[in-house]
Amino acid sequence: MLNLVLNHATNHIQTRCGAFKRNIVNLNKILFLPILFLLFNCNQKQEKTENGINSESELKTQSESRNYKNEVSEFALNFSPKGASALDSIPENIIKDFRELRAIDEIAHEKYVTLIFTKLYAEHLQCCHQSYIIKHFPADKSEYDFDKLTMVNEFAFMSNYLDAEKLPEIWTSGIIEKWLTENPELLEFEPIGKYNQFIKTVSEKIKNGDYWDN
């Protein structure tokens, strides 16, 4: 009889323990699922935030690139030099835009710097029948500021004509002829091609001595 009671008690305890263990397992599942759900949502939100930041950064960079290029192109296309000192009339903020454009779009930088200097030389030939000095260089190279915001430095960067070890005495506006001869593909840009043709026409007239009558 005693054994029967003990066996019954043992079975009852084992049944209760088994049920308790199952309840613990079920409780763990219940607690684990919400935590997993929260972690999943957090990861999604973080990815959306990071993607949003990256998208905004890319849009900002693209916008800045377009602004520099647009401002430079608009200025170069509308640039109408007058007289020998026309290069000095270019605002500093425009030269800064040219400087920024170097790193953003070197081809555009090359095209619009070329257009500026082609227009300048054409104006010098038209108004004064000759090229003009656009820069006097110091005899001591240490006295020249290669980083100064000037269109001459933009041309120097583009052309690589300025030897830091041996500076020339002067540059004239006619230096653009050398550049265009060495880079004829730039003439495919219609405004450059047009002003280059004007330069050739006027130069021929000056050479023949008949320009002065016009």
Side-chain angles (χ1 to χ4, degrees):
M1 182 66 179
L2 179 60
N3 289 335
L4 183 62
V5 172
L6 290 174
N7 288 336
H8 177 74
T10 300
N11 291 335
H12 181 70
I13 291 171
Q14 289 176 343
T15 301
R16 293 290 298 273
C17 287
F20 181 73
K21 289 179 180 178
R22 285 194 298 273
N23 288 337
I24 291 176
V25 171
N26 290 334
L27 182 61
N28 286 337
K29 288 181 179 179
I30 292 171
L31 293 174
F32 177 74
L33 289 175
I35 293 172
L36 183 63
F37 180 76
L38 287 172
L39 289 173
F40 178 77
N41 281 344
C42 286
N43 286 336
Q44 279 195 325
K45 289 180 180 178
Q46 184 175 0
E47 288 177 0
K48 287 181 180 178
T49 301
E50 291 174 351
N51 290 337
I53 292 172
N54 291 336
S55 297
E56 289 177 2
S57 177
E58 289 173 1
L59 287 172
K60 184 178 180 182
T61 301
Q62 291 172 0
S63 175
E64 289 174 350
S65 299
R66 286 195 301 271
N67 287 341
Y68 286 127
K69 186 174 180 179
N70 287 345
E71 289 179 15
V72 164
S73 64
E74 183 178 358
F75 180 84
L77 290 169
N78 293 315
F79 180 56
S80 183
K82 299 294 180 185
S85 61
L87 206 59
D88 297 331
S89 68
I90 297 178
E92 186 176 287
N93 66 298
I94 294 297
I95 302 176
K96 284 182 180 179
D97 288 344
F98 272 102
R99 180 68 57 88
E100 293 292 340
L101 194 58
R102 290 182 185 183
I104 296 169
D105 190 336
E106 193 168 335
I107 293 175
H109 178 271
E110 181 180 86
K111 182 167 65 175
Y112 294 117
V113 170
T114 299
L115 179 57
I116 291 287
F117 280 84
T118 305
K119 283 185 172 184
L120 181 70
Y121 184 44
E123 162 63 13
H124 288 172
L125 291 180
Q126 183 178 35
C127 78
C128 312
H129 316 127
Q130 63 182 20
S131 65
Y132 265 86
I133 294 173
I134 57 174
K135 185 63 183 177
H136 283 279
F137 293 97
D140 185 350
K141 64 181 181 181
S142 65
E143 295 178 4
Y144 184 72
D145 186 356
F146 289 88
D147 295 321
K148 187 177 180 180
L149 282 172
T150 67
M151 287 307 299
V152 168
N153 277 342
E154 293 309 302
F155 186 88
F157 172 84
M158 173 189 75
S159 64
N160 201 30
Y161 285 169
L162 205 56
D163 185 352
E165 297 302 317
K166 188 179 180 181
L167 294 176
E169 183 179 347
I170 61 169
W171 265 2
T172 72
S173 54
I175 196 171
I176 193 65
E177 284 193 296
K178 170 180 166 66
W179 172 250
L180 289 174
T181 299
E182 294 175 349
N183 299 273
E185 70 280 359
L186 288 167
L187 299 174
E188 296 175 9
F189 182 45
E190 191 272 336
I192 294 176
K194 181 181 73 173
Y195 279 94
N196 183 65
Q197 185 57 50
F198 177 83
I199 288 169
K200 287 183 176 181
T201 300
V202 175
S203 295
E204 190 64 25
K205 286 185 175 183
I206 293 173
K207 180 180 177 181
N208 295 333
D210 61 358
Y211 184 83
W212 303 93
D213 298 328
N214 297 327

